[in-house]
Amino acid sequence: MRFLTKKIQEENSDVIVSFIFEDENEKSDVFNYIDKLSNHALCEQIYKLKTITGKYQESFKYAINENLKVLIVGLGKKSDFTRKKFSQTVAFATRKAKNMSNSCSIAIEFLNNLTCTNANLNEKDTAQITLTSARIGLYEFDKYLSEKKSKIETIELLSNELTTEIEQGAQIGAYTSFAMKFAKDLINESAQIVTPLYIANLAEQIAKEHKLEVKIYNKNQIKSMKMNAFLAVAQGSVNEPVFIHLTYKPEKEAKKKIALIGKGITFDAGGMNIKPATSMLTMKSDMSGAASVLGIIQAIAKLKPDTEVHVISALCENMTSGSAYKQGDILTAMNGKTIEVDNTDAEGRLTLADALCYADTLNVDEVIDIATLTGAVIVALGNNITGVMGNNQKQINKFREISENYCENTWQMPILDELKDNLKSEIADFKNTGGRNAGTSTAAWFLSNFTKSKSWLHLDIAGTAYLDKSNKETLSGPTGVMIRSLLNYILA
Ligand code: BES
Ligand code: MN
Ligand code: ZN
């Protein structure tokens, strides 16, 4: 898909999307343009006949002629306007526009009057969010459908004045969109194809294309690094584990260094503590963290911030078999700490433990992991809010503020020493699980024992990475959650 910024008059699309607020009659440049094309029929329909009043996600279609249609979409009351609502409305709008006749190209109005709303949107963020959310609305995975779905090839962002701010925001929006589509496609693809080796090959390809440093460690090399917690999870599968590490280095000296770790379980059957069928159904998505960080590093390579970014993933399957690891096994992680396996389905924290230890060897300022880690986070926060934890409150606050600014919901969960007792083992340093209570925080407490970083952030996306039910912004399936937030966090 192509993303273009265009002056209104130079628009060349099948559908033009324009927005109206419920409680405002000021007409935008784009509205005036399409109103003129419609011989003022739009003004009549909206402001005289009140066919649409601008309620949140109310919409009105109008055909200017056979080749050009318009879609007017309500943003609700200006006083209730938020960035999240804006994103939801844009995604809703492009989804609608896509289904209007045989559109190939959608033009969207750039809203230049959002600074004075509660959302406090500047031009750069407005452009970024408009394009990102437009792409979210258009996402479909039709690789395996004999009847292909969408034909949208171009999204145009329309504004009378194309400022540098708009152009910069649009560029970030385009690369963010690419990163999200990349991740979602990889998550949608079946685990039969997306094995650890498949992702490793992809990582190598990405590194080549974007001139990134890359290290791929095979099973023997993983053994040499003493990542025995990771290896234990992997040992029940015929598909061998792979550990990947990509690095983006800015041309000038890096202002900051960040390591991003993505959980990379390409299929989570639960191991010997096998999952019931309904829980296992979507477990090809247990590599959502890895897919996200691989999407992010491609956008980073294009946007070239002055931050050094490392992307790490311990990739393997968690299977049941004659060679699988067992309850009661005692594992020694890379940092020498020992873990008694209480439940083989708590595998993510075992692979992440070794990945966190590895990140400690890189001398970075911050470590961030993103993981579909606990079912408990779904109980606590549902499917639209990501759990945020960490050991540096400043970093947590900054991340949460950015996530809200880029339309993603997050909430902090505590990591307190009280949780320690949950994982007490008589024969090892810790057990890997401890009952159902405070599952998300307990998992995070476990992880905290494997990092030396003073700025470690943990994102539990088990509830938000993959939706069984569509929400107001994203259709069911993978979401690419936290890519927007992480990218903007790195660019900040
Ligand atoms: N990958 C799962 C977590 C998960 C659950 C992701 C639902 C997406 C949707 C993780 O490996 C897991 O199985 N966690 C267990 C931990 C338990 C055994 C302590 C869980 O949450 O049930
Ligand atoms: Mn599991
Ligand atoms: Zn898992």
Side-chain angles (χ1 to χ4, degrees):
M1 203 169 297
R2 286 188 311 161
F3 298 86
L4 305 171
T5 49
K6 281 202 172 176
K7 294 238 167 126
I8 300 174
Q9 315 285 338
E10 286 155 19
E11 155 279 318
N12 178 21
S13 61
D14 306 309
V15 185
I16 301 179
V17 178
S18 178
F19 303 96
I20 56 170
F21 278 108
E22 193 177 343
D23 48 358
E24 194 189 75
N25 289 337
E26 206 182 306
K27 297 169 189 73
S28 68
D29 296 335
V30 169
F31 184 84
N32 287 331
Y33 171 78
I34 51 181
D35 184 45
K36 208 167 153 193
L37 289 179
S38 76
N39 280 323
H40 304 292
L42 283 177
C43 240
E44 164 118 12
Q45 285 287 336
I46 295 165
Y47 295 104
K48 278 208 189 110
L49 303 173
K50 309 265 182 215
T51 319
I52 168 176
T53 57
K55 286 197 181 63
Y56 173 57
Q57 293 198 348
E58 187 186 19
S59 68
F60 172 64
K61 296 174 195 173
Y62 185 89
I64 304 273
N65 56 45
E66 229 175 86
N67 300 318
L68 182 61
K69 294 177 177 68
V70 300
L71 178 70
I72 312 288
V73 181
L75 290 166
K77 289 208 171 71
K78 211 167 186 176
S79 49
D80 297 339
F81 187 72
T82 62
R83 287 173 176 234
K84 184 73 185 173
K85 271 194 182 162
F86 179 45
S87 172
Q88 290 166 338
T89 306
V90 174
F92 165 86
T94 51
R95 222 167 1 249
K96 275 237 138 128
K98 176 189 68 193
N99 297 326
M100 286 164 69
S101 63
N102 358 327
S103 8
C104 296
S105 166
I106 298 177
I108 306 172
E109 158 169 38
F110 172 81
L111 283 157
N112 55 12
N113 59 349
L114 300 179
T115 341
C116 48
T117 62
N118 300 332
N120 192 16
L121 270 158
N122 59 30
E123 289 195 332
K124 194 173 166 186
D125 283 352
T126 304
Q128 178 188 162
I129 292 171
T130 307
L131 285 188
T132 309
S133 304
R135 185 66 185 86
I136 290 172
L138 295 174
Y139 180 77
E140 268 161 344
F141 185 71
D142 60 7
K143 182 174 169 188
Y144 294 105
L145 295 176
S146 350
E147 222 169 294
K148 300 297 177 208
K149 285 182 172 174
S150 172
K151 304 166 290 294
I152 304 296
E153 284 152 11
T154 315
I155 302 175
E156 300 178 352
L157 185 64
L158 302 183
S159 173
N160 255 346
E161 223 186 318
L162 291 173
T163 61
T164 4
E165 285 257 296
I166 296 180
E167 296 291 1
Q168 281 175 352
Q171 197 183 38
I172 299 173
Y175 287 125
T176 307
S177 297
F178 173 82
M180 289 176 74
K181 176 186 157 37
F182 170 88
K184 292 198 246 186
D185 281 350
L186 193 56
I187 298 164
N188 261 322
E189 189 60 86
S190 61
Q192 203 68 270
I193 291 174
V194 180
T195 59
L197 189 60
Y198 178 93
I199 296 183
N201 287 334
L202 204 52
E204 216 149 40
Q205 236 171 283
I206 289 168
K208 213 171 179 187
E209 189 186 329
H210 296 276
K211 302 200 171 57
L212 304 169
E213 286 173 28
V214 60
K215 285 183 186 152
I216 309 279
Y217 301 94
N218 65 23
K219 187 173 158 187
N220 281 329
Q221 294 164 312
I222 296 166
K223 238 180 222 160
S224 312
M225 293 192 288
K226 301 195 161 59
M227 293 183 170
N228 291 316
F230 171 33
L231 278 174
V233 175
Q235 79 190 31
S237 171
V238 291
N239 293 310
E240 296 211 337
V242 187
F243 189 93
I244 59 169
H245 172 198
L246 286 83
T247 312
Y248 159 80
K249 281 191 173 146
E251 269 157 34
K252 283 181 258 159
E253 205 194 325
K255 269 212 321 234
K256 195 179 177 183
K257 299 180 181 181
I258 300 185
L260 294 179
I261 302 172
K263 173 172 169 182
I265 301 296
T266 57
F267 191 75
D268 182 9
M272 294 311 296
N273 297 116
I274 194 166
K275 284 181 186 295
T278 46
S279 306
M280 207 190 295
L281 189 61
T282 54
M283 279 304 134
K284 68 176 181 184
S285 69
D286 214 21
M287 36 56 82
S288 294
S292 303
V293 296
L294 283 173
I296 288 167
I297 194 114
Q298 295 175 74
I300 289 296
K302 289 285 188 187
L303 292 164
K304 301 194 184 309
D306 41 22
T307 299
E308 184 173 301
V309 181
H310 296 261
V311 154
I312 296 163
S313 188
L315 298 156
C316 72
E317 286 183 335
N318 185 26
M319 299 294 277
T320 15
S321 81
S323 62
Y325 78 133
K326 304 169 182 75
Q327 287 181 293
D329 284 358
I330 295 173
L331 319 173
T332 307
M334 189 178 176
N335 66 355
K337 292 191 181 167
T338 55
I339 307 156
E340 180 186 1
V341 177
D342 184 69
N343 190 311
T344 62
D345 198 10
E347 84 297 338
R349 62 197 75 181
L350 299 174
T351 62
L352 287 170
D354 279 332
L356 284 165
C357 294
Y358 179 92
D360 272 342
T361 68
L362 303 175
N363 267 319
V364 291
D365 305 300
E366 296 185 16
V367 175
I368 303 179
D369 76 75
I370 169 166
T372 45
L373 200 65
T374 65
V377 79
I378 312 174
V379 178
L381 301 176
N383 290 111
N384 298 309
I385 305 170
T386 294
V388 179
M389 286 141 278
N391 59 11
N392 184 320
Q393 195 56 43
K394 261 197 186 150
Q395 186 192 23
I396 292 171
N397 293 348
K398 182 179 164 195
F399 184 82
R400 286 213 48 234
E401 188 183 334
I402 288 174
S403 72
E404 226 146 86
N405 280 341
Y406 295 95
C407 317
E408 299 199 287
N409 303 314
T410 54
W411 204 258
Q412 185 179 351
M413 309 273 278
I415 306 181
L416 299 171
D417 271 342
E418 269 67 19
L419 299 163
K420 190 174 177 172
D421 292 345
N422 293 351
L423 299 182
K424 198 172 160 28
S425 163
E426 299 300 329
I427 52 171
D429 295 333
F430 332 98
K431 291 192 292 186
N432 72 332
T433 61
R436 299 166 51 85
N437 295 344
T440 303
S441 286
T442 304
W445 182 85
F446 178 89
L447 293 180
S448 74
N449 291 285
F450 296 89
T451 181
K452 289 200 186 86
S453 176
K454 293 280 173 278
S455 264
W456 160 67
L457 191 81
H458 163 57
L459 304 174
D460 194 334
I461 56 166
T464 48
Y466 196 96
L467 302 176
D468 294 327
K469 240 177 67 198
S470 304
N471 64 29
K472 282 203 161 69
E473 186 181 64
T474 308
L475 291 181
S476 58
T479 60
V481 74
M482 291 298 117
I483 290 178
R484 284 178 273 179
S485 302
L486 284 168
L487 265 173
N488 281 292
Y489 180 84
I490 295 166
L491 297 176

